[in-house]
Amino acid sequence: MRFAVGVNYAPDEAGKIQSDLAGIAASGISDVRFLVPWDGPPSVLDDLEALVGLVAAAGLRCLPSLTCSPGIGNIYGGELLERQAAFAQDAGSRLRGHPAIVAWDIGHAFTLASPPPGGKLSTGEHGSEPAAERTIAAWSKKLADAFRISSALPTTVGTTSDDLTHDNNVRLATLCAPLSFASIQGSNVSLPFVRERLDAEALPFLAMLTAAFSYKPVLVTGFGNPSYPYYTDEENAAYCTRVLGRLQQDGRLGAYWFNWPGSDSPVTAALGAFAREMRETVKARDMPMISSTYYYRTLPTSMQTLYDAFLGFIEERRG
């Protein structure tokens, strides 16, 4: 299977979408990821179907990612969960088996959009689990089942670095159990353990943690530092190439840069050059890992300790 190289794309002006997608395809990039508001206007399904059609016409693949309005409330149960499931059923049916869709992302940055409730439940033997864990797992299963039945396509979910640097009362093993693969996104500017601002091992470390805790293959659905002025285009391009190489060597499914930077960007050139190498995915060979229960209980110490161990592990493994 080919290592996927993509970008996050936010359709802005209707008249520019075709030219943007043509520019993305011409660069050599294969995938685009975009957000789909399940609580959006009545035209949202028509807009989604039209956009997927344009993606396919450009010779690209896409990862539609469900999102919602900030502050909408508790999306993990009740009426809001039923609305999401109905949307998944309708969207999946409209685009059933569409060859341009890589997978459905059931919830972009869901813990930021709707923070899970706090609290812990005792599991005996001095153990505990988040009180919300089973609720979040049930939410994931309901939406994954809706897409699986209606669309016959894979599913994932939009976890972020914040779900690993903090205990957001989500556990990846139960969250990702019904999904085809796990996802992670993050930027060096929000990671407390990076050695320096262009540390190319930080995102691969997050991907390794995601794989270890979810027991699933991992796609990096967002990486890079494009909106921060103290990163030059040239620095971002070099960083992009290094991170892509490490992720591919580590056995990840692919990686998408944060936001389409335009046809003339050095980052686009870097993404395209890597994509045109047509590297295959490889079997992941990750270091031994502690349990997620112990990891979250001992944050932030566990994160820094594991990152130090990861650096030693990959130095030896990569030779």
Side-chain angles (χ1 to χ4, degrees), residues 25-266:
S27 74
I29 295 167
S30 62
D31 291 16
V32 292
R33 177 178 179 264
F34 52 80
L35 303 183
V36 182
W38 57 262
D39 63 337
S43 65
V44 64
L45 284 173
D46 291 336
D47 296 341
L48 169 62
E49 189 171 8
L51 181 54
V52 172
L54 292 175
V55 167
L60 296 166
R61 307 187 309 166
C62 62
L63 178 67
S65 301
L66 301 196
T67 189
C68 60
S69 304
I72 193 172
N74 181 4
I75 65 173
Y76 308 111
E79 179 191 357
L80 292 182
L81 175 55
E82 295 306 317
R83 284 176 61 188
Q84 292 168 83
F87 185 90
Q89 176 68 39
D90 291 344
S93 297
R94 278 205 185 201
L95 294 161
R96 181 176 177 82
H98 200 294
I101 297 178
V102 175
W104 292 97
D105 179 342
I106 66 172
H108 165 70
F110 62 96
T111 59
L112 299 178
S114 181
K120 295 289 189 287
L121 299 175
S122 174
T123 57
E125 295 295 326
H126 309 292
S128 66
E129 67 180 31
E133 179 178 357
R134 298 181 190 184
T135 299
I136 304 304
W139 166 80
S140 174
K141 186 176 187 307
K142 188 175 182 72
L143 296 186
D145 285 349
F147 273 122
R148 176 178 54 80
I149 294 168
S150 65
S151 75
L153 290 169
T155 51
T156 189
V157 66
T159 49
T160 73
S161 59
D162 193 66
D163 298 318
L164 291 171
T165 58
H166 300 84
D167 187 353
N168 289 333
N169 298 303
V170 171
R171 296 296 180 264
L172 297 185
T174 51
L175 171 73
C176 296
L179 305 174
S180 307
F181 57 90
S183 299
I184 188 66
Q185 58 180 267
S187 171
N188 277 19
V189 296
S190 62
L191 301 179
F193 56 85
V194 296
R195 297 166 294 174
E196 48 93 15
R197 63 195 185 96
L198 292 169
D199 189 344
E201 303 295 356
L203 259 294
F205 171 66
L206 289 183
M208 184 275 297
L209 283 183
T210 304
F213 293 156
S214 68
Y215 305 100
K216 296 281 185 175
V218 174
L219 175 69
V220 175
T221 54
F223 80 105
N225 316 289
S227 60
Y228 296 88
Y230 47 88
Y231 289 86
T232 68
D233 286 345
E234 290 71 21
E235 286 177 327
N236 267 324
Y239 168 82
C240 173
T241 298
R242 290 196 298 271
V243 172
L244 288 173
R246 285 155 173 75
L247 291 170
Q248 187 272 333
Q249 292 172 36
D250 289 350
R252 308 309 164 213
L253 300 176
Y256 299 167
W257 185 256
F258 273 133
N259 305 328
W260 164 235
S263 296
D264 298 328
S265 168

Side-chain angles (χ1 to χ4, degrees), residues 283-298:
K283 183 178 180 180
R285 294 180 294 136
D286 294 323
M287 72 181 195
M289 183 52 55
I290 62 176
S291 72
S292 63
T293 300
Y294 184 76
Y295 172 82
Y296 283 109
R297 190 167 68 232
T298 55

Side-chain angles (χ1 to χ4, degrees), residues 6-20:
V7 291
N8 284 265
Y9 177 64
D12 190 6
E13 301 174 28
K16 288 182 58 182
I17 295 175
Q18 281 182 285
S19 61
D20 283 346

Side-chain angles (χ1 to χ4, degrees), residues 298-319:
T298 55
L299 277 173
T301 302
S302 55
M303 179 176 55
Q304 186 63 61
T305 300
L306 285 174
Y307 188 51
D308 292 340
F310 174 76
L311 294 174
F313 173 79
I314 57 173
E315 183 178 3
E316 180 179 342
R317 195 198 70 198
R318 291 176 184 157

